[in-house]
Amino acid sequence: MKMNKYYFIYLIWLLPLYFLYQFGYQATTYFGLQDSFENGTSYVATVIDFDVKQIAAQTNGYVVIEFTTSDDEVITEQLGLPVQMAQVIMDSELIPIRYLADSFKPIVLMPTYDLQQSVIKVNLGVTAIGLVVTIIIALYGSRFAAKRIKYGEEKLDIVRIDKNEDSEENEKA
């Protein structure tokens, strides 16, 4: 069997799979955040380190927090922060948090909770739109590939319909 180049078009199905994975990750993050917020234990965390970096047009940062649980376990965690969330806690030395150890997102910074929820909802919306669009593109691409694999490429017959007057004049000259 000869490999047909149109089989490669089916690789476009990797895009919807990627968007599906991203949608699942965002949904899991969203529900993990809610679970930690609703069922977690409240603590006050100390800011150990805080940094905001600007690389090209992107600005993001991190905060390292430390707190002691009710079981006398000291937890130190570095959390990545987009610039909007970093601005909210920039001048804080103590941050109220909710902690639930077995959650997908075990630590919720209380001052940034509403903003985190909003960002994740936007991410879910954008990812859902990307998923729908790439599924539509993949369906059309698959139909095109199946047609080309089954029937082959279209044969183009190029027929000249004008008289060849210019070439006759050139030959006489």
Side-chain angles (χ1 to χ4, degrees), residues 43-50 63-68 74-79 89 92-97 109:
Y43 296 103
V44 176
T46 306
V47 176
I48 303 297
D49 191 15
F50 179 84
V63 63
V64 179
I65 60 171
E66 183 176 271
F67 61 97
T68 305
V74 176
I75 297 179
T76 304
E77 190 76 31
Q78 178 175 326
L79 305 171
I89 63 168
S92 303
E93 292 180 23
L94 299 174
I95 301 173
I97 64 165
L109 302 174

Side-chain angles (χ1 to χ4, degrees), residues 18-173:
Y18 171 76
F19 278 107
L20 187 63
Y21 166 77
Q22 284 297 325
F23 188 85
Y25 177 78
Q26 292 293 329
T28 305
T29 300
Y30 180 78
F31 291 119
L33 206 60
Q34 280 189 330
D35 188 32
S36 293
F37 180 77
E38 293 169 1
N39 303 318
T41 307
S42 293
Y43 296 103
V44 176
T46 306
V47 176
I48 303 297
D49 191 15
F50 179 84
D51 192 21
V52 176
K53 296 180 181 181
Q54 179 153 357
I55 303 170
Q58 295 181 348
T59 304
N60 59 10
Y62 67 89
V63 63
V64 179
I65 60 171
E66 183 176 271
F67 61 97
T68 305
T69 66
S70 55
D71 301 332
D72 289 330
E73 179 185 357
V74 176
I75 297 179
T76 304
E77 190 76 31
Q78 178 175 326
L79 305 171
L81 298 171
V83 68
Q84 301 95 329
M85 291 181 214
Q87 288 174 343
V88 173
I89 63 168
M90 189 176 290
D91 297 325
S92 303
E93 292 180 23
L94 299 174
I95 301 173
I97 64 165
R98 301 279 285 182
Y99 177 70
L100 184 62
D102 59 346
S103 175
F104 185 74
K105 282 293 190 189
I107 298 173
V108 176
L109 302 174
M110 298 302 289
T112 63
Y113 176 72
D114 291 333
L115 186 56
Q116 280 180 301
Q117 293 287 89
S118 298
V119 168
I120 292 172
K121 286 177 186 176
V122 168
N123 289 349
L124 280 167
V126 170
T127 305
I129 291 168
L131 177 62
V132 169
V133 168
T134 55
I135 284 174
I136 291 169
I137 291 170
L139 286 171
Y140 278 104
S142 295
R143 274 188 20 203
F144 173 78
K147 194 183 301 182
R148 288 289 193 248
I149 290 168
K150 186 174 182 180
Y151 299 114
E153 293 187 19
E154 293 179 11
K155 303 284 189 249
L156 295 178
D157 291 330
I158 300 173
V159 178
R160 191 169 182 163
I161 57 173
D162 64 334
K163 291 184 179 179
N164 210 355
E165 295 174 9
D166 290 338
S167 60
E168 290 175 10
E169 289 176 11
N170 289 338
E171 288 177 11
K172 291 180 184 176

